[in-house]
């Protein structure tokens, strides 16, 4: 069965600090997708990134970067120079590559950026 | 990505009543999903809404409690039946794939339900 673990329930940092959100996953599939979503206080779920299991290249998008390591089944997310607007709950999710494409979510990490 | 809307955005309902939530997409999509997010919790898949056939429910969710319709490729409804306070949650629909290059699911804004 697929499983996603976000061990950090809550993180609180001061603005401009760097912060890393951890995500560890379990799957028996050899091909799969990994995702990060952001849920601000308004409640909507905002897509941030998709990574397939073939591609272990790290990705950077502005202040956001993602580190995918198949050897440790991890897909960590780093925010550099955090801002108050980054405050939200962040979810890591996993889906199979073909077929049902159902998303399995981690428990989420509540990130608070203090001014 | 597709533009997804949900109605209502929020509601307060009495125990024992039912509420139907609508999900509308601005383009045709292959797959639509319904998720539940209980207070302070993660998202759990309720069912996959299949166009032209019955929905596929996940373990722990049944059609009598959460009937789903999908009359076409742009619209779906989820009904929460015979509600109890435990049904108080955010209900989200998602669609995918829409980007043609992979399996990203995009989510609607959610429906916040409070059952008294």
């Amino acid at each position: 069965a697929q499983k996603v673990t976000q061990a950090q329930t809550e993180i609180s940092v001061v603005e401009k600090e760097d912060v890393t959100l951890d995500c560890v996953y379990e799957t028996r599939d050899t091909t799969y997708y990994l995702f990060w979503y952001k849920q601000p206080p308004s409640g909507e779920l905002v897509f941030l990134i998709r990574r397939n299991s073939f591609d272990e290249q790290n990705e950077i998008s502005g202040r956001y970067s993602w580190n995918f390591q198949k050897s440790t089944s991890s897909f960590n997310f780093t925010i550099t120079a955090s801002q108050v607007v980054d405050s939200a709950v962040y979810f890591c999710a996993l889906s199979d590559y073909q077929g049902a494409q159902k998303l399995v979510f981690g428990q989420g990490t509540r990130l608070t950026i203090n001014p | 990505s597709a533009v997804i809307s949900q109605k209502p955005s929020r509601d307060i309902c009495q125990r024992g009543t039912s509420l139907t939530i609508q999900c509308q997409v601005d383009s045709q999509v292959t797959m639509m999903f319904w998720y539940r997010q209980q207070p302070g919790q993660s998202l759990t898949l309720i069912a996959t809404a299949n166009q032209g056939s019955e929905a596929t429910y996940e373990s722990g969710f049944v059609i009598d409690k959460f009937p789903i319709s999908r009359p076409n490729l742009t619209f779906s409804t989820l009904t929460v039946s015979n509600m109890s306070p435990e049904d108080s949650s955010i209900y989200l629909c998602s669609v995918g794939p829409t980007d043609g290059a992979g399996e990203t699911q995009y989510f609607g804004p959610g429906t916040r339900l409070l059952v008294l």
Side-chain angles (χ1 to χ4, degrees):
Chain A
Q2 296 182 324
K3 184 179 179 182
V4 176
T5 301
Q6 295 179 254
Q8 304 152 309
T9 305
E10 294 190 30
I11 299 175
S12 181
V13 301
V14 177
E15 200 171 18
K16 298 183 183 177
E17 286 186 15
D18 299 347
V19 58
T20 296
L21 309 182
D22 297 333
C23 173
V24 175
Y25 63 92
E26 298 175 27
T27 180
R28 293 180 181 175
D29 296 336
T30 55
T31 55
Y32 48 88
Y33 285 105
L34 293 162
F35 303 82
W36 276 95
Y37 287 88
K38 174 182 179 180
Q39 189 175 43
S42 55
E44 78 273 23
L45 217 61
V46 178
F47 165 74
L48 295 178
I49 190 173
R50 178 188 73 228
R51 174 64 74 225
N52 71 51
S53 53
F54 299 136
D55 184 1
E56 286 195 70
Q57 273 193 328
N58 293 331
E59 179 149 347
I60 298 175
S61 176
R63 296 184 296 107
Y64 295 172
S65 62
W66 290 269
N67 184 315
F68 175 33
Q69 292 193 342
K70 285 182 78 170
S71 60
T72 56
S73 297
S74 65
F75 186 43
N76 297 336
F77 173 31
T78 297
I79 301 175
T80 303
S82 60
Q83 299 176 3
V84 173
V85 294
D86 296 325
S87 297
V89 180
Y90 290 86
F91 290 98
C92 181
L94 169 70
S95 78
D96 54 8
Y97 195 78
Q98 295 177 334
Q101 297 154 27
K102 300 179 291 186
L103 283 173
V104 174
F105 284 86
Q107 285 302 107
T109 297
R110 180 176 299 278
L111 176 63
T112 301
I113 310 298
N114 299 298
Chain B
S1 62
V3 176
I4 307 163
S5 60
Q6 284 186 234
K7 289 181 182 179
S9 58
R10 58 178 65 231
D11 207 341
I12 301 174
C13 300
Q14 296 298 318
R15 180 195 301 259
T17 62
S18 297
L19 176 72
T20 295
I21 302 168
Q22 299 179 5
C23 180
Q24 179 76 54
V25 191
D26 68 344
S27 58
Q28 294 186 340
V29 294
T30 307
M31 309 190 77
M32 294 181 79
F33 305 88
W34 287 98
Y35 289 82
R36 181 177 74 180
Q37 186 178 23
Q38 294 177 300
Q41 303 296 312
S42 186
L43 285 82
T44 301
L45 180 64
I46 298 172
T48 302
N50 303 308
Q51 195 268 328
S53 64
E54 276 196 5
T56 304
Y57 289 85
E58 296 301 303
S59 175
F61 297 96
V62 295
I63 187 171
D64 290 345
K65 175 66 176 177
F66 296 102
I68 288 171
S69 77
R70 176 111 192 255
N72 56 52
L73 293 176
T74 64
F75 186 78
S76 178
T77 66
L78 168 75
T79 299
V80 186
S81 303
N82 188 25
M83 288 184 285
S84 67
E86 291 71 35
D87 294 319
S88 298
S89 298
I90 300 174
Y91 292 86
L92 299 106
C93 71
S94 73
V95 304
T98 65
D99 53 12
E103 311 302 332
T104 301
Q105 284 186 31
Y106 295 94
F107 285 79
T111 296
R112 293 178 183 268
L113 171 62
L114 176 63
V115 183
L116 302 177

